[in-house]
Amino acid sequence: MDESQLSLFYGLSFLCVALAFAFAAYLYLWVKKQKTENAKIQEVSLLIKQGANTFMRREYKVLAKFAGVAAIVILILLPSPIWTGDFLDNIKMAVAYLCGTALSAIAGKIGILVATLSNARTAEAAQRGIKPAFLIGFRGGAVMGLLVVGCSLLGVAAVLMVTGDSSILLGFSFGASSLALFAKAGGGIFTKTADVSADLTGKVELGIPEDDPRNPAVIADNVGDNVGDVAGMGADLFDSNVAAMASSLVIAQSLSGTGFNNVSMVFCYAILGLFASIIGIATARVGKKGPTSALNSSTYVTTAIYLVLTAIATAVFPGFSWRIWGAAAVGLLVGVIIGITTDYFTDDSKPPVKKVAKASSSGPAFTVLSGISYGFISALPAMVGIAISALVAYKLCEPMGEGYAIFGISMAAVGMLSIVGMIISNDAYGPIVDNARGLAEMGGLGEETIRTADELDSAGNTVKAVTKGFSISAAGLTVISLLGAFMSEANDALAAAGRDPITGFDIMSPTVFFGVLVGAVVPAVFSAMLILGVDKNAQRMVAEIHRQFNSIKGLREGKPGVKPEYDKCIDIATSGSLRELIPAGLMTIIATVVVGFIGGPSAIGGFLLGNIVSGLLIALFMSNAGGLWDNCKKYIEAGAEGGKGSDSHKAAVIGDTVGDPFKDTAGPSINTQITVVSLVSSLLSSVFVMFSFFS
């Protein structure tokens, strides 16, 4: 490896991170400078901010305890039991783990700060038209995008530069993944508890508008948008980005005897991805075609810039391979295509949403049946896309020598996640404009302003579905490369024990097949636990809403000066989600450890294979079906199939409440679950080699 060239890319990494942070600070100050004058909106926005901060504070206290226990276990056991190896490596691993959790938490916290600052300003800007409102919402989301990618590049570069050992990066990545798993699950349970309760009691039972301030759950619903879709999704994509880089760097360091500077190439492509995202964010504007087109076109601009810049870098720097560039390019292009196909199944201007809206006129059963069917069909293009990108990347890099085929797949994942700064910006835009829509209604800004906010919100829903498809697909490629990283780590441990290395996983082997079956069922059980968490929590909140409507005189009629007890609903959502988030996450980790101790590295290989295939299918189905139902409801509310208050509308609301925990709780949490079990497998590979019943 050319040390001077690698030092150059370390320096460029820190420079690009500084540029991203400086641009994020500029956008934050620009958003903060925008006016907010409506007293009611200021009051409600403050309630949302306080609720979000209360939840985050309580959630982070719970997660800090988990992280402390996990750090002690890592210190004792990883990368090898402390009594058998160099204890300094164990200390490095534990510190790297804590740094991963801390950076992920910081990115989420700052994202909440900016999102709760942007929502009121976006609502008031909607009075002046769609362009100024869009710009505030998007730039607020972009702060989150820049921070997440900046923190991930900063952390990975710093850990590798200080330790020089890519396997320590797996500890850093596990820190990011474990926090993301619980943050996404906890935030998802919170947000959908409130959303489902508010919709069922407000729209279906009482026939009042979505964000009517009489509804006791309405503030909790808006708080949930922030803790689930801003902090949770930010932690999720931070984890995906770190995991993709970590797996690539582990494999890159294991490749030797070549003239290719593989580690430098990983950093170069990550730097250029962040730089391309900065340009894409800076140039995003609404044109005549509306906000959805603006968000999608900024993604395409970022993609084109990235492909050009990486091609130039590959031509300029010695030792960079066009085959590896091809693998990264294929990953990115397939990611964009997956985004486009996801858009087809979730956009309310496309046939699937219109057909489900039509089916809703026949009753809620047909809403659910048609939505589930299109959700399953929508998984086909993404699954095929992941398969094609993995196959092409593998075959492109296979002629380069042993180990390069898996490295090609890992670089396809890096390529797919290269524009993650833009993806997160689009994703965080969604909850900001969703909050803005609610604030516009509660602040009495008029039907025209609410219509403008609805258009922004609809675009946010469509693009959120696209970003979820993108992040789930990227997780698929990342985990395939993490399977390669696991083999690399396991083979090191096997060599040290004087045993034959793993060259593949034979599914006819009983231990491998045992692992496949157990791994395949884990995402289903994990999803069920999260959805049951929403179900139990929402039932408690619905009972509280009924109590308030029955006991607070004048609340149902909306008499002046009568306010619901918003804090009671926020507390139910908070305490319930914190109670439910730990068991689901622990179940996945415990299942991995048990399979490893029973069947050793071979069983773990099968476990990861089953987990990847089952998890990707369930995650894509849930995310797309949920997005489709949400936009079906909004399509009817815009006047189609009888409009608001019609039987079609009530059926669509029921479809949406089924889809809410699909798309915002279970679906996007599964890709983090897949990453977590893969990292646990790699980190414990030496332990599984030493202690297993049937290996």
Side-chain angles (χ1 to χ4, degrees):
M1 183 188 300
D2 185 343
E3 292 291 342
S4 62
Q5 186 164 289
L6 181 57
S7 298
L8 168 68
F9 284 109
Y10 281 143
L12 289 174
S13 295
F14 298 133
L15 185 64
C16 195
V17 167
L19 178 63
F21 287 172
F23 189 40
Y26 162 76
L27 293 178
Y28 170 76
L29 294 171
W30 182 88
V31 169
K32 193 174 183 181
K33 211 164 58 174
Q34 306 306 307
K35 291 180 181 178
T36 171
E37 297 168 344
N38 184 296
K40 180 65 177 174
I41 286 180
Q42 288 176 348
E43 179 193 346
V44 176
S45 180
L46 182 62
L47 286 171
I48 294 169
K49 182 178 181 179
Q50 288 171 342
N53 285 334
T54 299
F55 172 78
M56 295 289 284
R57 189 164 54 249
R58 287 173 63 178
E59 182 184 49
Y60 281 0
K61 279 182 182 176
V62 172
L63 295 182
K65 291 174 185 175
F66 171 83
V69 172
I72 292 168
V73 173
I74 288 168
L75 180 66
I76 295 168
L77 292 177
L78 301 175
S80 58
I82 197 165
W83 57 87
T84 63
D86 184 352
F87 74 93
L88 278 175
D89 286 341
N90 292 59
I91 292 171
K92 288 176 189 174
M93 187 72 84
V95 171
Y97 167 79
L98 291 173
C99 287
T101 59
L103 276 176
S104 186
I106 289 166
K109 181 68 176 172
I110 295 174
I112 287 286
L113 172 69
V114 181
T116 52
L117 184 79
S118 308
N119 53 17
R121 288 160 174 79
T122 304
E124 293 202 34
Q127 295 176 102
R128 306 196 304 273
I130 202 161
K131 289 186 179 181
F134 170 84
L135 204 57
I136 294 171
F138 179 75
R139 287 188 165 183
V143 175
M144 181 71 174
L146 292 165
L147 283 172
V148 166
V149 186
C151 284
S152 61
L153 181 56
L154 173 67
V156 170
V159 169
L160 193 60
M161 188 176 77
V162 170
T163 65
D165 182 359
S166 60
S167 63
I168 301 295
L169 276 177
L170 294 174
F172 179 78
S173 186
F174 179 56
S177 295
S178 58
L179 186 121
L181 180 67
F182 295 121
K184 191 73 195 100
I189 293 169
F190 183 110
T191 183
K192 293 306 112 179
T193 293
D195 200 353
V196 167
S197 304
D199 277 0
L200 288 177
T201 53
K203 289 184 178 180
V204 176
E205 288 182 20
L206 299 174
I208 61 177
E210 180 168 353
D211 293 296
D212 194 303
R214 287 175 288 174
N215 194 326
V218 75
I219 301 296
D221 186 9
N222 285 295
V223 169
D225 290 334
N226 290 287
V227 299
D229 289 336
V230 177
M233 185 53 79
D236 177 11
L237 284 164
F238 176 85
D239 144 56
S240 295
N241 200 35
V242 168
M245 289 185 69
S247 61
S248 297
L249 290 165
V250 167
I251 298 167
Q253 274 203 344
S254 71
L255 300 171
S256 58
T258 72
F260 298 111
N261 201 332
N262 303 304
V263 174
S264 293
M265 205 165 184
V266 174
F267 280 112
C268 177
Y269 283 18
I271 292 162
L272 293 175
L274 178 53
F275 186 66
S277 293
I278 291 170
I279 297 171
I281 289 165
T283 56
R285 297 289 187 279
V286 173
K288 292 179 181 177
K289 293 184 179 178
T292 302
S293 177
L295 292 165
N296 286 336
S297 63
S298 60
T299 302
Y300 304 146
V301 166
T302 306
T303 300
I305 292 169
Y306 175 79
L307 289 173
V308 171
L309 290 177
T310 49
I312 292 169
T314 305
V316 168
F317 288 104
F320 280 21
S321 166
W322 283 105
R323 287 182 179 274
I324 295 173
W325 177 85
V330 164
L332 177 55
L333 291 173
V334 167
V336 172
I337 292 165
I338 288 169
I340 292 167
T341 58
T342 306
D343 178 75
Y344 175 79
F345 284 98
T346 55
D347 192 333
D348 59 14
S349 66
K350 304 293 192 301
V353 171
K354 292 180 178 179
K355 287 178 181 176
V356 174
K358 180 74 175 171
S360 298
S361 61
S362 301
F366 298 100
T367 309
V368 173
L369 286 171
S370 57
I372 284 174
S373 302
Y374 282 117
F376 275 124
I377 294 168
S378 73
L380 174 66
M383 293 290 278
V384 171
I386 296 165
I388 289 171
S389 57
L391 182 62
V392 171
Y394 189 97
K395 290 297 181 184
L396 260 178
C397 298
E398 192 177 27
M400 294 173 66
E402 188 179 349
Y404 273 94
I406 293 292
F407 183 58
I409 294 174
S410 72
M411 288 304 289
V414 169
M416 194 178 278
L417 281 165
S418 58
I419 59 166
V420 74
M422 176 58 72
I423 297 300
I424 297 170
S425 302
N426 286 354
D427 201 83
Y429 158 90
I432 290 171
V433 294
D434 193 354
N435 268 199
R437 192 255 176 241
L439 290 169
E441 187 167 305
M442 286 184 267
L445 298 185
E447 283 301 315
E448 188 59 38
T449 303
I450 291 171
R451 235 189 324 273
T452 300
D454 265 332
E455 189 178 346
L456 292 167
D457 188 21
S458 178
N461 275 323
T462 301
V463 174
K464 268 201 310 185
V466 172
T467 59
K468 279 169 186 156
F470 206 99
S471 62
I472 292 165
S473 304
L477 279 178
T478 300
V479 177
I480 295 169
S481 59
L482 280 170
L483 188 56
F486 164 71
M487 284 179 65
S488 174
E489 295 291 304
N491 284 339
D492 286 347
L494 286 165
R499 290 162 60 183
D500 293 335
I502 298 169
T503 54
F505 301 104
D506 178 8
I507 61 166
M508 296 306 292
S509 160
T511 52
V512 174
F513 196 65
F514 159 75
V516 169
L517 292 178
V518 178
V521 81
V522 165
V525 176
F526 176 72
S527 301
M529 291 175 76
L530 294 183
I531 293 171
L532 281 170
V534 172
D535 179 34
K536 287 186 285 187
N537 233 16
Q539 288 186 45
R540 283 193 288 268
M541 190 176 289
V542 166
E544 171 60 23
I545 294 166
H546 287 159
R547 182 197 70 77
Q548 292 195 32
F549 274 123
N550 292 330
S551 63
I552 301 175
K553 291 181 180 178
L555 178 60
R556 194 183 295 261
E557 298 80 12
K559 288 182 179 177
V562 178
K563 291 182 179 179
E565 297 170 352
Y566 296 123
D567 57 325
K568 295 282 176 67
C569 287
I570 292 172
D571 187 61
I572 287 171
T574 301
S575 56
S577 61
L578 295 179
R579 188 165 52 246
E580 302 291 347
L581 69 88
I582 295 291
L586 278 180
M587 181 276 297
T588 66
I589 294 170
I590 291 168
T592 311
V593 173
V594 169
V595 168
F597 282 137
I598 290 173
S602 295
I604 284 291
F607 177 86
L608 294 179
L609 184 64
N611 198 262
I612 293 165
V613 175
S614 162
L616 286 176
L617 176 62
I618 296 172
L620 288 163
F621 154 67
M622 285 186 165
S623 292
N624 293 347
L628 185 152
W629 278 317
D630 196 345
N631 276 346
C632 171
K633 176 195 73 175
K634 285 185 164 52
Y635 176 66
I636 292 173
E637 286 175 348
E641 304 296 336
K644 287 183 181 179
S646 65
D647 287 342
S648 297
H649 182 225
K650 288 180 179 178
V653 170
I654 290 169
D656 182 37
T657 55
V658 173
D660 275 338
F662 275 30
K663 71 180 172 65
D664 289 323
T665 307
S669 297
I670 291 174
N671 57 315
T672 313
Q673 175 265 310
I674 298 170
T675 308
V676 166
V677 300
S678 301
L679 288 165
V680 169
S681 302
S682 293
L683 288 167
L684 292 175
S685 55
S686 61
V687 178
F688 296 149
V689 167
M690 291 163 59
F691 310 105
S692 58
F693 293 114
F694 299 111
S695 63

